[in-house]
Amino acid sequence: MKQPIRMKDNGQINVVLHTKNDRIQQPVREERSYAWSSSSEHAVLKKVESELDALVGLEDLKKMIREIYAWIFISKKREESGLKAGKQVLHMMFKGNPGTGKTTAARIIGKLFFEMKVLSKGHLIEAERADLVGEYIGHTAQKTRELIKKAMGGILFIDEAYSLGRGGEKDFGKEAIDTLVKHMEDKQNEFILILAGYPREMNHFFTLNPGLESRFPLVFQFPDYRPEQLMAIAEKMAAEKEYKFSKEAKMKLREHFARVREGNYQTFSNGRYVRNLIEKATRAQAVRLLNDSNYKYEELLMIESRDIQFK
């Protein structure tokens, strides 16, 4: 059974987005129907849910977004009734391997917060170490401040955030961290900071600055996709390009995804891997059809087993 939301001692909410079944029996979490999400009064949530429903997996992200929506909605009702409605810090941490939906989740969260008037713009600014770290003393703080300024009213999404702590005490990455922390406090309700990266590296990164982790009340875990989820992603991506797989091609893919999931997760890129696989298959199909001078509708549509090639 799943136990997707875990409360840590420092007040963080830890969320696992698409977990595999464990042999160890986990405590059962009471499920809620969220019947209110179908109400016309909650059109904003329905709009966001329609985008989430198009994604494979991420079931617990969808549940958590409903809970965040409910908190924002009820806070507004409390304010209208003259009750206290304090601001909640919404900076987030995404831990997961490449291709597990981190950037997509950040974009959808930005849209929700814009529609709920939590953010004035809701846009997403993507950044990495090179966008923050300068070449001389004072340059890093300047670059980081400029990036934060661009993100005002929206989300600043820093991928591979652990790279900011790799150079040690004398590295300019520490200056970027210090600048981010200061603006997280000074402008905590004007933008949302999301730090993302590999789970192991992110865990190590936060040991370098113990006070940093506690500033992120929402921690999302993005585990690797299961074989059946990878297959669902492959069929969805193919359908979007107006292709479909033959019966033999599907069998070949399923067997391959099962083998891949037993391999090295640290180098596996999940959805990105599937996309590259399909693009390679469509090129192989094109060469095959050209050689055969076969341009019938069904043949143009179909990806055969021989078109799917692995390294």
Side-chain angles (χ1 to χ4, degrees):
M1 299 295 292
K2 295 181 181 177
Q3 190 184 24
I5 299 180
R6 304 179 180 93
M7 182 68 74
K8 298 171 70 176
D9 291 341
N10 61 5
Q12 289 178 326
I13 297 175
N14 200 25
V15 183
V16 179
L17 297 186
H18 43 81
T19 57
K20 61 184 179 181
N21 291 331
D22 270 324
R23 291 181 182 178
I24 300 173
Q25 186 71 20
Q26 299 286 352
V28 177
R29 182 188 179 195
E30 183 181 351
E31 298 292 337
R32 296 187 178 184
S33 64
Y34 295 106
W36 42 265
S37 68
S38 62
S39 169
S40 59
E41 186 179 16
H42 305 290
V44 169
L45 178 62
K46 288 194 69 177
K47 182 179 177 182
V48 170
E49 283 185 321
S50 66
E51 291 190 47
L52 287 168
D53 289 342
L55 302 177
V56 174
L58 305 181
E59 295 305 322
D60 296 312
L61 172 67
K62 298 168 187 177
K63 184 178 296 183
M64 190 62 186
I65 283 180
R66 290 191 188 102
E67 293 179 6
I68 292 173
Y69 170 85
W71 176 82
I72 296 170
F73 185 86
I74 294 302
S75 292
K76 290 181 182 294
K77 293 296 184 185
R78 285 175 59 86
E79 191 173 11
E80 291 171 6
S81 299
L83 295 169
K84 289 183 179 179
K87 298 287 185 180
Q88 186 174 39
V89 177
L90 293 170
H91 300 305
M92 304 177 189
M93 192 191 313
F94 288 1
K95 297 179 181 180
N97 288 333
T100 49
K102 297 187 296 295
T103 306
T104 301
R107 287 198 185 98
I108 293 175
I109 289 170
K111 289 180 182 179
L112 172 64
F113 288 169
F114 170 70
E115 295 286 351
M116 294 294 293
K117 296 181 172 57
V118 173
L119 294 172
S120 59
K121 297 179 182 176
H123 63 300
L124 181 73
I125 298 294
E126 296 183 59
E128 54 187 22
R129 178 186 165 92
D131 299 310
L132 290 96
V133 179
E135 300 173 357
Y136 50 85
I137 296 174
H139 190 209
T140 294
Q142 178 187 343
K143 290 184 71 173
T144 304
R145 283 195 299 267
E146 289 174 354
L147 203 59
I148 292 171
K149 186 177 179 180
K150 290 179 182 177
M152 282 297 162
I155 292 176
L156 177 56
F157 181 87
I158 302 177
D159 202 8
E160 298 183 3
Y162 49 81
S163 63
L164 295 173
R166 278 181 171 169
E169 285 294 321
K170 295 183 180 180
D171 183 72
F172 291 134
K174 185 178 183 301
E175 188 179 356
I177 295 171
D178 293 341
T179 306
L180 287 169
V181 168
K182 183 180 187 304
H183 284 79
M184 285 172 67
E185 291 296 320
D186 295 346
K187 303 180 185 297
Q188 63 178 271
N189 297 315
E190 297 178 47
F191 82 106
I192 291 172
L193 177 63
I194 298 179
L195 299 187
Y198 292 103
R200 185 183 304 170
E201 282 81 350
M202 289 297 287
N203 291 337
H204 176 67
F205 171 57
F206 286 109
T207 64
L208 302 177
N209 189 330
L212 184 59
E213 187 174 9
S214 62
R215 299 177 189 274
F216 293 86
L218 292 168
V219 179
F220 291 84
Q221 306 280 349
F222 289 71
D224 293 282
Y225 287 106
R226 300 189 299 271
E228 64 270 21
Q229 291 176 319
L230 293 170
M231 189 65 219
I233 291 170
E235 291 186 286
K236 186 177 186 303
M237 287 183 176
E240 288 172 352
K241 295 176 179 289
E242 295 190 328
Y243 287 95
K244 64 180 182 180
F245 300 111
S246 68
K247 182 178 179 181
E248 294 76 15
K250 288 181 181 180
M251 187 179 301
K252 186 175 183 178
L253 280 173
R254 288 193 186 98
E255 291 174 355
H256 176 69
F257 290 145
R259 288 196 302 272
V260 164
R261 283 290 277 129
E262 295 174 357
N264 187 355
Y265 297 155
Q266 192 69 12
T267 59
F268 182 60
S269 58
N270 290 278
R272 195 179 305 166
Y273 176 86
V274 175
R275 182 178 65 245
N276 293 338
L277 200 65
I278 290 174
E279 289 177 353
K280 187 176 181 181
T282 58
R283 294 195 298 270
Q285 186 231 39
V287 171
R288 173 174 59 82
L289 295 179
L290 191 65
N291 287 338
D292 296 342
S293 298
N294 188 349
Y295 317 122
K296 294 179 181 178
Y297 178 84
E298 190 63 25
E299 295 297 327
L300 294 169
L301 190 67
M302 190 69 66
I303 294 178
E304 301 286 352
S305 174
R306 52 186 158 166
D307 300 323
I308 300 172
Q309 302 165 9
F310 311 120
K311 290 183 181 179

